[in-house]
Amino acid sequence: MGVAMEGMIRLKGLSLAFPGVQGLTRVLDNVDLDIAPGEFLAIVGPSGVGKSTILRVIAGLARPNTGTVEMAAPAPGRRAVSLVFQDARLLPWRTVIDNVAFGLEKLSMPRAERRRRAAEALTLVGLGDLVDRWPHQLSGGQRQRVALARALAVEPETLLMDEPFSALDAITRESLQDELIRLRAATGRTILFVTHDIDEAVHLADRVVVLAGSPGRIVATHRITEAHPRSRGQGRAADQAKAIRASLDGEVLINGAAT
Amino acid sequence: MTLPSLGRSIAAPVFGLAVLLAIWEAIPGLGLVNPAFLPPPSTLPAAFLRELASGQWTLAIRNSLGHYTLGLAIGVLAGIAFGIITGMARFAEAVTSWVVRVLRPIPGLAWVPFAIIWFGVSPSAAVFIIAIGVFWIVYFATHGAIRAVDRDLIEVAEAFGFRSAPERLLKVMLPAATPGILVGVRTAIGQAWMAVVAAEIFGVAGLGQRMMQASSLIATDIVVVYMLTMAALYGLLDTLFVRLQTWVLRWKA
Ligand SMILES: Nc1ncnc2c1ncn2[C@@H]1O[C@H](COP(=O)(O)OP(=O)(O)O)[C@@H](O)[C@H]1O
Ligand SMILES: [Mg+2]
């Protein structure tokens, strides 16, 4: 893989620790990771292993103690990355369309252009007719779609998603997963998707990275070559999920510290 | 709301008011109290028309509203500004923490002597007294509301590149704190009337002063006219404010 390719993210030797009661608590240990342009990469791992922390470092919300994040500067009118949180985190005082336009207000452009791009992003997630609703008038699934539209509106080189569907019911979750696959095919966007749900990772991603241990480090990488649409929990998908579980279990046994 | 329940929702308060007026009319009417000490409500319309015809009533309202609005505006703006600063900057909070503890317990009325020494018996003195009372209410409401803003929403702003303090303030903190700030402003709208009367009792022209003049002449009917005038003005302002508040906060569930 070439260096500093357009739309690529390279994490080199990331380590991070939080000050705790008894000195520093190490959270990430020497994480190296390349995300190729256009790739759908999933990070799986148990809760507390440092998955969110990796995304926060890439998004510039946290600073690693050592290591670097390399990525190309975004084109004008775009962001390098944008983040979808586990809970939608819509701003309750903004209508749906104004929530989606939020990030565009930082990328200097006329109001009409902001509205156009926000409306476009909402159409993309299938909410074109809810533009003037308030967030409290939406279902959990709709709220998460708005959050996705808000992240898409800034046309990020890479879309970061932090367990974005884990708070939803199973039916809504599966329909949003399939929507995401469709969206990805339509936009070709690079996606870094964090989840603790192995089946979800296998269903969505081109490559699954397993993060385990305390401090968290990458213990395995699995390439998922099966074409979309993929069957859930059967055949190859089931085998791959099993293999990922095995690499997690092995790790947990070795460390003796399951979370 | 169904029609019968709407009828009931209007009928109940009207009934309550009618009972109050009836008891009030009966007490002096039955000779339980000298009518000069408690004027029955039936004498009030005539008293009101006399005040109105002499032009005193409108003049008093105009004077009172003048320093009321100015004092309220100054107190509200200063309270919001300082509340934001100490709510956002730990350093500012640390510096002011003991200043606030020392000054806050001083009742607004305790400032009257200084108000008169500094400004004389003038509308400015009334504005000062009103603004001080309003300031503390709005300051604490704003400070608390800014402090309580959800960290997660601030993080959303940061994730989309709004990193500077003014950006965080305008994009997230201020809108998120608005419900709390408005609760403070509404309390202040009521509290400021007390301050108006207090300041005017010391001689600043307005409703309170007119009330004192009438009471020294034992014109109790006029006193009651002004009491009701203040109640009505407060009721009107509070109603208008609640309308505005409901509209501003129409995004709330
Ligand atoms: N601000 C913080 N201060 C202290 N510890 C933190 C902080 N944020 C996260 N942690 C700790 O870092 C670890 C990893 O957190 P996180 O990245 O959120 O895990 P994950 O997303 O994999 O569940 C956890 O043990 C958590 O308790
Ligand atoms: Mg997490």
Side-chain angles (χ1 to χ4, degrees), chain B residues 94-105 136:
Chain B
V95 168
T96 54
S97 60
W98 271 100
V99 178
V100 167
R101 280 195 194 105
V102 168
L103 291 181
R104 186 214 184 171
W136 288 117

Side-chain angles (χ1 to χ4, degrees), chain B residues 5-89:
Chain B
S5 80
L6 178 72
R8 217 175 307 137
S9 75
I10 293 174
V14 168
F15 175 75
L17 277 176
V19 170
L20 174 71
L21 287 177
I23 294 174
W24 179 359
E25 184 76 35
I27 291 172
L30 297 172
L32 298 173
V33 172
N34 182 343
F37 294 166
L38 181 65
S42 55
T43 64
L44 297 179
F48 169 66
L49 289 176
R50 259 184 287 128
E51 274 303 284
L52 188 63
S54 71
Q56 295 279 10
W57 190 76
T58 9
L59 182 64
I61 286 188
R62 205 177 321 136
N63 284 332
S64 286
L65 277 182
H67 41 252
Y68 174 82
T69 37
L70 193 57
L72 187 65
I74 292 173
V76 164
L77 291 180
I80 291 177
F82 278 90
I84 286 173
I85 292 169
T86 59
M88 284 183 76

Side-chain angles (χ1 to χ4, degrees), chain A residues 13-116:
Chain A
L14 279 193
S15 295
L16 191 144
F18 287 109
V21 224
Q22 321 140 341
L24 292 178
T25 314
R26 295 170 66 208
V27 172
L28 292 176
D29 179 31
N30 201 26
V31 171
D32 289 311
L33 189 61
D34 283 353
I35 301 141
E39 186 180 26
F40 195 137
L41 177 66
I43 300 179
V44 292
S47 119
V49 79
K51 305 182 297 296
S52 297
T53 305
I54 292 182
L55 294 190
R56 290 171 49 80
V57 166
I58 299 174
L61 298 174
R63 235 174 229 290
N65 295 80
T66 60
T68 54
V69 178
E70 287 173 17
M71 55 189 163
R78 299 179 60 173
R79 290 197 77 77
V81 295
S82 64
L83 185 51
V84 180
F85 301 88
Q86 177 174 356
D87 45 338
R89 299 200 193 177
L90 303 183
L91 306 177
W93 55 88
R94 286 175 173 246
T95 58
V96 163
I97 188 143
D98 288 339
N99 261 288
V100 176
F102 183 66
L104 299 172
E105 290 163 17
K106 183 69 188 181
L107 308 169
S108 36
M109 65 182 73
R111 194 183 133 78
E113 172 72 359
R114 289 202 299 266
R115 276 193 79 84
R116 192 190 62 71

Side-chain angles (χ1 to χ4, degrees), chain B residues 97-131:
Chain B
S97 60
W98 271 100
V99 178
V100 167
R101 280 195 194 105
V102 168
L103 291 181
R104 186 214 184 171
I106 302 173
L109 274 187
W111 288 100
V112 167
F114 277 114
I116 289 171
I117 291 166
W118 293 338
F119 300 101
V121 179
S122 69
S124 310
V127 167
F128 174 76
I129 293 165
I130 295 163

Side-chain angles (χ1 to χ4, degrees), chain A residues 56 59-61 79 81-83 85 87-94 102-106 134-136 147 150-151 154, chain B residues 149-164 167 170-173 175-177 248 250-253:
Chain A
R56 290 171 49 80
L61 298 174
R79 290 197 77 77
V81 295
S82 64
L83 185 51
F85 301 88
D87 45 338
R89 299 200 193 177
L90 303 183
L91 306 177
W93 55 88
R94 286 175 173 246
F102 183 66
L104 299 172
E105 290 163 17
K106 183 69 188 181
W134 299 108
H136 78 82
R150 174 174 68 187
V154 295
Chain B
V149 172
D150 190 350
R151 281 267 353 139
D152 286 354
L153 293 185
I154 300 170
E155 200 175 76
V156 170
E158 286 171 356
F160 282 99
F162 299 110
R163 305 263 165 140
S164 70
E167 280 175 326
L170 292 177
K171 293 293 175 187
V172 175
M173 319 259 304
V248 171
R250 64 196 179 287
W251 50 269
K252 294 208 86 175

Side-chain angles (χ1 to χ4, degrees), chain A residues 45 77 91 115-116 165 197 202-203:
Chain A
L91 306 177
R115 276 193 79 84
R116 192 190 62 71
F165 307 144
D197 179 343
V202 169
H203 189 67

